[in-house]
Structures are given as C-alpha cells and as structure tokens.
C-alpha cells in the first residue's frame, strides 16, 4: 500500500512510471493502473507468458518493452 501511494503521488507530480522486469503477482493491478510502460525480461519470462499478459492488458493505456533480447 505504501509503494502504491508513493507511485500515485509521483504520477500526480507528472512522472511516468515504468514497471521493470515485470512479473504478474497478486496486487500488481494497482501499479498497472499507474504505469506508463511495462518492461519484460525475455530471458526470465517465457514469450507465451509475456504475450498472454500483453493480451490481457489491452484495455490499459500501456506501452511494452522487451529487454535482454540477444537474438
């Protein structure tokens, strides 16, 4: 709750929030509502799982970035 409130305040001040090395866990919806971008580590999260999350986030105004792409 503390982190979410701090992120709300940062967003109110004009910051854009990025969720780095994102993994969907309980309680992440509140942060997703505040985020501008979600970064996925393709070495630690299987591509089908990333694709599924992106599909489920379509109703949110998010950008996505794949990191640690080597090939």
């Amino acid at each position: 709750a503390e982190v979410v409130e701090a992120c709300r305040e940062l967003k109110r001040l004009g910051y854009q929030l990025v969720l780095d090395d994102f993994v969907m866990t309980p309680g992440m919806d509140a942060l997703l509502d505040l985020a501008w971008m979600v970064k996925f580590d393709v070495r630690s999260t299987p591509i089908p799982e990333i694709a599924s999350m992106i599909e489920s986030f379509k109703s949110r105004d998010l950008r996505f970035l794949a990191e640690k792409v080597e090939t």
Side-chain angles (χ1 to χ4, degrees):
E2 250 180 76
V3 171
V4 172
E5 190 53 42
C7 289
R8 276 193 189 105
E9 179 63 12
L10 289 170
K11 185 171 181 172
R12 188 188 68 72
L13 293 171
Y15 288 88
Q16 292 180 318
L17 303 174
V18 178
L19 301 178
D20 191 23
D21 296 338
F22 184 79
V23 176
M24 190 64 183
T25 56
M28 292 303 288
D29 281 324
L31 289 175
L32 282 166
D33 290 340
L34 299 169
W36 172 72
M37 179 182 284
V38 177
K39 292 171 60 178
F40 297 100
D41 180 343
V42 298
R43 291 189 302 179
S44 65
T45 307
I47 299 296
E49 187 177 327
I50 293 171
S52 176
M53 281 189 280
I54 289 173
E55 184 66 29
S56 71
F57 300 159
K58 276 190 173 183
S59 64
R60 301 172 189 264
D61 185 26
L62 291 169
R63 285 138 190 93
F64 303 100
L65 183 125
E67 62 179 345
K68 300 185 180 128
V69 178
E70 305 297 329
T71 60

